[in-house]
């Protein structure tokens, strides 16, 4: 076996396998990374409760509070509730009642056949911006909060991706957290609706890339066998974040206090500059081999394992050869690496498919969560139940992704989501309809969270964060539209779930056009990413195992 061949046989993943996924070094960094992930889960749910609808009615100045909700002042529905946005009109000839000493708060004073809009409102609850900024009966202003919030990700995700690829994963994570904290705290002191809505956009516009930055860094610090488990930890912390902010709103019943509590900790993440480890893969991609090897060496010491010295030498030589080959190819083709990436039809195909899958996932995932608040019963409990159903979905992801492969699991999850949600409208209200609703959330969670792992594995290291950010950014079209989907129920009660099901079903078939990445090493270059399409499903893993066995022998 010649040296050239031997050098190519030892990769970073071989060293990671020796270091192990759960040594002291890994656990220390995972604990640091998981805190911003928890905050990301908190921030992704906060807009649902900031602008949550509250109990209110028309002000009826002619009557006291008790009589103001009578049948002759405000229209009542069959279930006993009264209208929130209209009242019965007083008769135009007011002088008749005054001259005849008939009280103005009496059935004879109101024309029950005529309804008029409210001039002012009486609020029975005060825990959202609806009362504070007086936006009763303006549902478009409430739904606009979620749309504006998610629209901010169109800026933050590519911005975070650029910072991550150019200046490092660690700096991108810190930037996203600190800016979220700053704008979130300022939003707690909003003086009016316009100021609130602007800050609702700015917070995610600069800090919305927290989850993506954390995910890429964690993924690059662990070997192939630890990726799915890391994803499970991320999803669990994300769920805990959503449950925590829901309980805080339920307990405090004051949106300003909650914002101050949840955004203050994010500012202190700046200390990660001295505590968190940078990705060695990023150092290698930038030609900073010594710094990258120092990270691996530090991991070796903390994990109390021994990596053969020649492994580091071979990995460095291999990385240098890749970089030299890339420079040579750039000179030959007179194109930079970025231009080659953008000129690749294969990359564009993956961007298009992953973007559609992301759009579909976010539309269904967030749409089901938002619409859960509109279901009957306690709004807080409804939201918590819909969040908690994600926990078993994440466990299934841990079990199924490595056993059955990324592509097959994601495709089946999408298709089952589609079938369940399209048929949801045909199920009578009751326990079974709730089971179907939660079933749709279960399978879209399985598909969506698996997509993070899958998409990260089909793009090369040099531009992994940026390309992942492109897909995630385009995918935010779905989460931006999701807050508007409850309005579709005005035309047909089950129109939202039919839309969700159709998008999920289409996505299930599109997944099948991507290469399987299960148990494959992360592609570090465009060439390695292209080889994923050429490799027969399952063949790559057996060849890789064979190669590693020969190396050890």
């Amino acid at each position: 076996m010649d040296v050239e061949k031997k050098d190519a046989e030892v990769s970073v993943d071989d060293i990671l396998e020796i270091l192990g996924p759960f040594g002291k070094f890994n656990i220390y960094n995972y604990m640091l990374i998981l805190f911003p992930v928890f905050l990301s889960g908190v921030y992704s749910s906060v807009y649902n409760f900031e602008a949550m609808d509250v109990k209110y009615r028309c002000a009826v100045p002619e009557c006291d509070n008790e009589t103001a909700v009578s049948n002759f002042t405000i229209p009542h529905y069959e279930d006993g509730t009264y209208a929130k946005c209209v009242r019965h009109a007083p008769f135009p000839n007011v002088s008749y009642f005054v001259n005849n000493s008939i009280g103005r708060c009496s059935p004879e004073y109101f024309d029950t056949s005529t309804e008029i809009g409210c001039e002012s409102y009486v609020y029975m609850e005060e825990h959202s911006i609806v009362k504070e900024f007086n936006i009763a009966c303006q549902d478009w202003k409430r739904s606009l909060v979620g749309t504006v919030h998610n629209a901010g990700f169109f800026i933050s995700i590519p911005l975070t991706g650029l910072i991550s690829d150019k200046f490092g994963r660690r700096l991108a994570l810190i930037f996203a957290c600190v800016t979220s904290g700053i704008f979130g705290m300022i939003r707690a002191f909003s003086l009016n609706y316009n100021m609130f809505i602007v800050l609702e956009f700015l917070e995610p516009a600069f800090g919305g890339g927290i989850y993506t930055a954390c995910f890429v860094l964690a993924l690059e610090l662990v070997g192939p066998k630890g990726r799915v488990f890391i994803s499970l930890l991320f999803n669990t912390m994300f769920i805990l974040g959503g449950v925590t902010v829901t309980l805080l709103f339920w307990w405090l019943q004051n949106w300003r206090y909650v914002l101050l509590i949840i955004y203050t900790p994010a500012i202190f993440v700046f200390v990660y500059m001295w505590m968190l480890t940078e990705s060695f893969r990023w150092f290698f991609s930038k030609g900073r081999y010594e710094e990258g090897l120092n990270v691996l060496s530090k991991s070796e010491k903390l994990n109390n394992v021994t990596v053969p010295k020649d492994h580091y030498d071979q990995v460095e030589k291999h990385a240098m050869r890749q970089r030299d080959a890339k420079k040579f190819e750039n000179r030959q083709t007179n194109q930079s690496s970025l231009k080659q990436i953008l000129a690749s039809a294969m990359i564009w195909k993956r961007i298009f498919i992953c973007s559609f899958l992301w759009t579909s996932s976010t539309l269904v995932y967030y749409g089901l969560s938002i619409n859960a608040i509109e279901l009957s019963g306690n709004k807080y409990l409804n939201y918590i139940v819909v969040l908690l159903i994600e926990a078993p979905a994440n466990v299934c992801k841990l079990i199924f992704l490595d056993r059955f492969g990324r592509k097959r699991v994601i495709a089946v999850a999408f298709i089952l989501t589609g079938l369940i949600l399209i048929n949801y409208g045909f199920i009578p209200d009751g326990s079974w309809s709730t089971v179907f609703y939660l079933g749709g959330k279960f399978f879209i969670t399985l598909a969506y969270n698996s997509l993070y792992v899958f998409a990260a594995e089909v793009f090369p290291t040099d531009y992994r964060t940026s390309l992942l950010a492109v897909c995630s950014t385009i995918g935010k079209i779905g989460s931006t539209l999701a807050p508007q989907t409850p309005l579709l129920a005005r035309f047909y009660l089950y129109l939202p779930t039919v839309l969700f099901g159709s998008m999920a079903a289409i996505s299930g078939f599109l997944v099948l056009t991507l290469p399987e990445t299960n148990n494959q090493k992360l592609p570090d270059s465009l060439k390695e990413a292209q080889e994923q399409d050429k490799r027969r499903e399952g063949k790559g893993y057996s060849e890789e195992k064979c190669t590693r066995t020969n190396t050890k022998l």
Side-chain angles (χ1 to χ4, degrees), residues 445-458:
T445 300
L446 177 58
Y448 184 25
N449 292 339
S450 300
L451 183 60
Y452 262 96
V453 179
F454 190 38
E457 292 176 339
V458 298

Side-chain angles (χ1 to χ4, degrees), residues 83-103:
K84 299 174 72 172
C85 300
V86 293
R87 52 168 291 195
H88 290 308
F91 281 108
N93 192 3
V94 177
S95 60
Y96 169 82
F97 297 96
V98 176
N99 295 335
N100 288 274
S101 300
I102 299 176

Side-chain angles (χ1 to χ4, degrees), residues 243-254 258 261-262:
V243 172
T244 300
V245 74
T246 305
L247 293 174
L248 279 173
F249 270 104
W250 193 2
W251 174 42
L252 294 175
Q253 297 287 303
N254 187 303
V258 174
I261 290 172
I262 64 177

Side-chain angles (χ1 to χ4, degrees), residues 271-284:
V271 299
Y272 278 25
M273 185 64 71
W274 301 278
M275 299 173 64
L276 187 62
T277 303
E278 181 57 88
S279 166
F280 57 85
R281 290 183 185 272
W282 179 78
F283 280 132
F284 286 164

Side-chain angles (χ1 to χ4, degrees), residues 183-447:
F183 286 114
M185 288 185 67
I186 297 174
R187 190 162 86 247
F189 298 98
S190 296
L191 301 178
N192 51 52
Y193 178 81
N194 292 335
M195 178 180 176
F196 177 88
I197 208 74
V198 169
L199 290 166
E200 187 73 52
F201 174 80
L202 291 177
E203 182 250 307
F206 287 92
I210 295 176
Y211 191 95
T212 304
C214 290
F215 188 79
V216 171
L217 176 56
L219 195 72
E220 293 183 347
L221 287 174
V222 71
K225 294 185 182 297
R227 293 176 200 157
V228 177
F229 185 77
I230 288 301
S231 179
L232 173 64
L233 289 178
F234 269 51
N235 300 145
T236 302
M237 293 303 293
F238 195 83
I239 294 170
L240 288 176
V243 172
T244 300
V245 74
T246 305
L247 293 174
L248 279 173
F249 270 104
W250 193 2
W251 174 42
L252 294 175
Q253 297 287 303
N254 187 303
W255 65 275
R256 293 185 187 271
Y257 290 166
V258 174
L259 293 190
L260 288 173
I261 290 172
I262 64 177
Y263 283 105
T264 301
I267 296 178
F268 295 98
V269 173
F270 77 89
V271 299
Y272 278 25
M273 185 64 71
W274 301 278
M275 299 173 64
L276 187 62
T277 303
E278 181 57 88
S279 166
F280 57 85
R281 290 183 185 272
W282 179 78
F283 280 132
F284 286 164
S285 71
K286 296 301 178 183
R288 296 161 64 175
Y289 307 116
E290 186 176 346
E291 292 170 273
L293 292 174
N294 285 340
V295 173
L296 291 174
S297 179
K298 182 180 178 181
S299 175
E300 178 184 351
K301 292 176 183 177
L302 287 177
N303 290 352
N304 197 26
V305 296
T306 302
V307 177
K309 177 69 168 59
D310 66 304
H311 278 34
Y312 290 129
D313 296 335
Q314 291 176 39
V315 165
E316 183 177 1
K317 289 176 183 177
H318 181 64
M320 292 177 68
R321 275 202 307 273
Q322 278 191 321
R323 192 170 182 84
D324 291 341
K326 195 183 299 180
K327 289 180 179 179
F328 177 75
E329 189 175 353
N330 291 349
R331 287 195 298 268
Q332 290 291 101
T333 60
N334 198 26
Q335 287 182 318
S336 66
S337 298
L338 178 60
K339 288 182 179 179
Q340 290 181 47
I341 288 284
L342 296 179
S344 170
M346 177 272 297
I347 290 293
W348 279 109
K349 171 192 169 186
R350 294 185 186 183
I351 290 174
F352 171 78
I353 294 173
C354 289
S355 297
F356 185 88
L357 298 179
W358 227 296
T359 301
S360 176
S361 298
T362 56
L363 175 66
V364 181
Y365 178 88
Y366 289 105
L368 289 176
S369 297
I370 292 167
N371 281 270
I373 295 178
E374 305 296 327
L375 299 176
S376 59
N378 186 296
K379 297 179 180 181
Y380 300 101
L381 284 179
N382 288 342
Y383 194 76
I384 289 173
V385 170
V386 170
L387 283 176
L388 291 179
I389 197 66
E390 297 180 23
N394 291 326
V395 174
C396 289
K397 179 188 72 173
L398 176 66
I399 298 171
F400 295 153
L401 281 187
D402 285 336
R403 180 171 297 183
F404 301 109
R406 286 33 167 167
K407 189 162 68 171
R408 189 179 305 169
V409 171
I410 297 173
V412 170
F414 269 128
I415 292 171
L416 287 176
T417 301
L419 291 174
I420 288 172
L421 294 180
I422 290 173
N423 287 283
Y424 172 75
F426 299 99
I427 307 298
D429 287 340
S431 300
W432 279 109
S433 65
T434 303
V435 169
F436 265 63
Y437 196 92
L438 294 177
K441 186 62 188 296
F442 173 89
F443 285 110
I444 194 59
T445 300
L446 177 58

Side-chain angles (χ1 to χ4, degrees), residues 43-99:
Y43 303 156
S44 71
S45 295
V46 67
Y47 68 84
N48 291 307
F49 302 102
E50 289 174 318
M52 189 167 66
D53 204 10
V54 296
K55 294 179 181 178
Y56 54 83
R57 61 170 174 81
C58 284
V60 185
E62 299 88 353
C63 302
D64 58 34
N65 285 334
E66 283 191 27
T67 319
V69 292
S70 303
N71 287 330
F72 61 82
T73 61
I74 295 179
H76 280 57
Y77 302 120
E78 292 181 1
D79 60 2
T81 60
Y82 49 80
K84 299 174 72 172
C85 300
V86 293
R87 52 168 291 195
H88 290 308
F91 281 108
N93 192 3
V94 177
S95 60
Y96 169 82
F97 297 96
V98 176
N99 295 335

